[in-house]
Amino acid sequence: MKNKELLSTTLLFLVAIIWGTGFIASQFAIDVGINPPLFMFTRFLLSTIIMGIAFRKQIKQNFSKKCLIPCIAIGVFLFLGFYTQFMGLKYTTVANNAFLTALNVIIVPIIVWIVERKMPSIKVFIAAILSLVGIWFLTGIDINNLAFNKGDILTMMCAFFFAVQIFITGKYATDIDTSVIVFLQFLVATILSACIFFATDGNIQPFLTLKGSMSMLYLAAFSTGFAYFVQAYALKYVDSSRTTIILGTEGLFGTIFSVLLKIDEPSSSMFIGGIIITIALIIAEYKFKYKDNIKEKMSNVAVSLKVGENIVNDGE
């Protein structure tokens, strides 16, 4: 189990790195005129096809009617998360959008607390808050100038939808096969995205360009297909609160890649944000040994008391 937890944690960091590069691929897609409805439709359609082909045997063997409702719910919240994020970008800044989306690192532990009546550890809350502060520095957002316009409200809704998607996935990850969860949620998101796309635009021409198709294929195969498969798998062994904190480093990796590719200039706030996020991760992942020591001492005390009781009883 510990080996699988370590593997899952490592894979989640890989997903964060892939999502970091996904910002660049998304920019390429936008540059050729791929708008949000087309972006979502082609991304989820390609992801559904890839997952359907790659895991057709597992999906056929493990599918059952009990999978439908949870997977449909996951797919709906996945779609709502992406849709409100894109719509939010129309009315707010990129920095505001990135920062407010990151609120899911706080929302997930709260959902766990409310729904499961299980309060996450203090270190998870501390790590989540530090992670959010780190993202604040990375985005360079000015909290004092947050007007909470339509775009900000939509983005906050996006953070909530993504948090619910992670929570539900974690809740059913051990009961439903990973390939089934991922395929069905992509299928649902594809259907909903298709409705929006054909109702609002219907122009698929930008996708047919080389730059557009290659960027969308990368996003579909890696940022969506591989990433959400890993997310569903990892949630079997890593709790949803820690998963969110790890995946929240996508902003850090996105900043690193944008600086390396000379898309953005490095700044002191980026450096500070990176350090704070690193500290948050250390807190979230570090196993505090003092708890184990306390348990061990308490166990020793209990044994000693039991031995003393037996001696007294023998003496009587």
Side-chain angles (χ1 to χ4, degrees):
M1 183 64 115
K2 286 186 177 180
N3 290 336
K4 289 185 177 179
E5 182 181 353
L6 178 61
L7 173 63
S8 298
T9 302
T10 304
L11 287 172
L12 286 171
F13 276 110
L14 179 58
V15 168
I17 293 172
I18 291 172
W19 279 352
T21 62
F23 287 117
I24 299 167
S26 297
Q27 188 60 56
F28 288 161
I30 292 170
D31 290 342
V32 297
I34 295 180
N35 57 25
L38 177 59
F39 185 94
M40 291 181 62
F41 173 55
T42 53
R43 180 173 181 170
F44 286 124
L45 176 62
L46 290 172
S47 300
T48 304
I49 293 171
I50 292 169
M51 290 299 300
I53 294 173
F55 296 97
R56 59 188 182 279
K57 290 183 179 179
Q58 292 93 320
I59 294 169
K60 188 176 181 179
Q61 289 173 356
N62 295 290
F63 174 79
S64 64
K65 290 183 179 180
K66 71 175 185 179
C67 303
L68 282 175
I69 293 178
C71 292
I72 289 173
I74 294 169
V76 168
F77 281 106
L78 179 68
F79 164 79
L80 289 174
F82 274 101
Y83 185 70
T84 50
Q85 185 180 49
F86 281 129
M87 291 303 293
L89 268 173
K90 291 178 64 176
Y91 306 103
T92 190
T93 64
V94 173
N96 281 21
N97 190 266
F99 175 73
L100 292 173
T101 298
L103 286 174
N104 63 17
V105 301
I106 300 292
I107 297 172
V108 170
I110 293 174
I111 292 175
V112 172
W113 189 1
I114 293 172
V115 176
E116 297 188 348
R117 308 288 184 183
K118 183 175 68 175
M119 181 178 177
S121 64
I122 297 299
K123 75 170 187 174
V124 166
F125 277 114
I126 293 173
I129 293 170
L130 281 176
S131 180
L132 194 60
V133 172
I135 293 166
W136 171 29
F137 276 96
L138 278 180
T139 56
I141 192 172
D142 184 359
I143 296 291
N144 295 323
N145 291 329
L146 267 180
F148 287 104
N149 56 31
K150 184 192 295 186
D152 295 327
I153 294 171
L154 283 168
T155 308
M156 290 177 71
M157 291 170 62
C158 142
F160 173 76
F161 292 140
F162 279 136
V164 175
Q165 186 268 341
I166 290 173
F167 172 75
I168 299 176
T169 303
K171 191 172 182 62
Y172 290 96
T174 55
D175 300 324
I176 303 175
D177 183 76
T178 302
S179 60
V180 174
I181 290 179
V182 178
F183 175 75
L184 288 180
Q185 72 169 318
F186 287 168
L187 181 61
V188 171
T190 299
I191 294 170
L192 294 174
S193 298
C195 294
I196 297 295
F197 171 63
F198 289 111
T200 58
D201 186 1
N203 179 24
I204 202 168
Q205 189 63 37
F207 171 71
L208 301 179
T209 63
L210 179 61
K211 193 174 182 180
S213 59
M214 292 304 293
S215 59
M216 291 309 302
L217 186 60
Y218 174 83
L219 289 167
F222 296 100
S223 294
T224 311
F226 174 77
Y228 282 96
F229 182 86
V230 168
Q231 183 194 82
Y233 171 82
L235 281 165
K236 296 176 186 286
Y237 310 104
V238 182
D239 68 73
S240 53
S241 297
R242 281 177 55 212
T243 296
T244 311
I245 293 169
I246 296 170
L247 294 179
T249 60
E250 66 171 299
L252 172 60
F253 290 116
T255 301
I256 291 171
F257 285 118
S258 67
V259 170
L260 290 176
L261 295 174
K262 298 183 178 180
I263 297 173
D264 291 316
E265 292 294 325
S267 66
S268 57
S269 63
M270 289 180 182
F271 180 71
I272 294 170
I275 291 176
I276 294 173
I277 289 173
T278 303
I279 292 171
L281 286 170
I282 292 171
I283 291 173
E285 294 302 308
Y286 183 71
K287 306 293 185 183
F288 290 98
K289 293 182 179 180
Y290 74 87
K291 288 185 177 180
D292 296 331
N293 291 337
I294 289 172
K295 289 179 180 178
E296 185 179 349
K297 288 178 181 178
M298 291 296 291
S299 179
N300 291 337
V301 169
V303 170
S304 298
L305 289 173
K306 185 68 177 176
V307 170
E309 181 182 347
N310 290 338
I311 291 173
V312 171
N313 291 336
D314 290 343
E316 291 175 351

